[in-house]
Amino acid sequence: MASQGERALRFKALHERERAFVIPNPWDAGSARLLESLGFEALATTSSGFANTLGRLDGEVKLAEKVEHCRALCAVTSLPVSADLENGFGSDPREVAGAIVQAAAAGVVGASLEDWGGAESPVIYEIAQAVERVEAAVEVARSLPFPFTLTARAENLLHGHNDLRGTIRRLQAFEAAGADVLYAPGLRTLEEVRAVVGEVGKPINVLAPLIPGVTVVDLEEAGARRISLGGALARASLAPLLQASREMLNQGGFSWAAKAVPGGELAALLTSGDG
């Protein structure tokens, strides 16, 4: 099993190379092992995907639960794992710093931080407050004994603020505050990706499922360095479950079983690698 320091260095190097990488978002230990076995180079948690495994909606998970989720994923894979820490589980910069410390202690080598208050306080933070929160996260990240990769997110495009220039200004401010990676999950065209990439100097993460028909090559050519999926992969995994259940309930059929992953193939994937 790779040490946390080794994973951290590998994660940092992924952002520094020329070509982009896909960082899928597992929702439990099993999906993390499968994704590692298939050949992905790093993983990131998904707040919505994990919340759904608990029978809850996005934003309804507590920090302690998130930390244990991170610990469980890091225990079964040797890949670098970055945590979706939502809004840092508090508006105060000290709360944000505390969340970073706890996540790092659970084994992750990076985390993302939103500038949106979350379900309980659904507002975009004023930029001064947002920057102060990033600065607090950067300060504690730099105090760790390994290179912790901090991703700062500008959430305004997802929450009714259709202002690309404002998004870019926020990302520039987060870059100046010391963030290692910048992320605006509401980008919906390659032109918008290019516009952001052209205005900042740090690696850009792009949420691929929001851009119809896009490919890894498209995003790489537009300048993206990291490509994530959010909760889309978790939701995609539920589609066959719902389809099979409806077939049984509405038609009394079991044709879905023919499409099930063979047990031997699943066993081989779960036991391969050094996770």
Side-chain angles (χ1 to χ4, degrees):
M1 181 73 76
S3 70
Q4 189 173 21
E6 291 169 335
R7 299 188 208 199
L9 290 171
R10 281 159 45 199
F11 195 48
K12 181 175 183 290
L14 287 173
H15 295 84
E16 294 172 344
R17 72 187 190 188
E18 288 300 315
R19 67 185 191 278
F21 69 100
V22 177
I23 182 166
N25 304 80
W27 51 96
D28 61 11
S31 58
R33 287 291 296 127
L34 291 174
L35 291 167
E36 177 182 21
S37 296
L38 288 170
F40 288 98
E41 300 174 278
L43 304 172
T45 70
T46 161
S47 60
S48 63
F50 173 52
N52 294 164
T53 68
L54 302 178
R56 303 181 204 164
L57 300 178
D58 196 9
E60 295 181 349
V61 170
K62 304 301 183 185
L63 175 58
E65 296 171 317
K66 176 65 65 72
V67 169
E68 287 309 307
H69 174 59
C70 291
R71 195 184 311 279
L73 267 58
C74 293
V76 299
T77 176
S78 278
L79 294 181
V81 177
S82 182
D84 178 351
L85 288 184
E86 304 178 47
N87 76 325
F89 294 89
S91 59
D92 190 286
R94 290 169 296 185
E95 294 174 303
V96 173
I100 295 289
V101 170
Q102 291 189 51
V108 303
V109 297
S112 63
L113 177 65
E114 300 173 1
D115 63 351
W116 181 63
E120 295 184 358
S121 181
V123 296
I124 300 294
Y125 294 122
E126 293 294 332
I127 192 164
Q129 182 181 10
V131 167
E132 186 179 4
R133 287 159 42 81
V134 172
E135 289 174 339
V138 168
E139 181 178 3
V140 73
R142 298 295 178 265
S143 73
L144 296 171
F146 58 87
F148 188 94
T149 300
L150 180 71
T151 300
R153 299 172 46 145
E155 300 288 301
N156 55 340
L157 295 176
L158 289 181
H159 299 287
H161 299 266
N162 190 22
D163 179 7
L164 183 60
R165 293 308 308 173
T167 298
I168 291 172
R169 284 193 295 272
R170 281 179 172 267
L171 294 178
Q172 290 171 331
F174 299 158
E175 178 179 4
D180 302 298
V181 180
L182 305 172
Y183 182 15
L187 301 179
R188 296 181 184 274
T189 67
L190 289 172
E191 290 71 23
E192 290 181 343
V193 174
R194 294 187 187 98
V196 171
V197 170
E199 296 287 348
V200 298
K202 292 293 179 69
I204 294 294
N205 183 99
V206 175
L207 182 62
L210 289 187
I211 306 178
V214 78
T215 67
V216 171
V217 171
D218 293 334
L219 289 168
E220 186 174 81
E221 290 178 347
R225 281 294 165 265
R226 193 171 85 188
I227 302 166
S228 60
L229 311 174
L233 192 59
R235 293 194 303 274
S237 75
L238 293 175
L241 170 64
L242 295 175
Q243 184 177 13
S245 299
R246 287 165 178 154
E247 180 187 347
M248 289 185 286
L249 289 170
N250 300 331
Q251 303 169 32
F254 303 93
S255 67
W256 55 269
K259 301 176 182 178
V261 178
E265 180 183 350
L266 186 61
L269 288 170
L270 287 173
T271 55
S272 66
D274 60 355

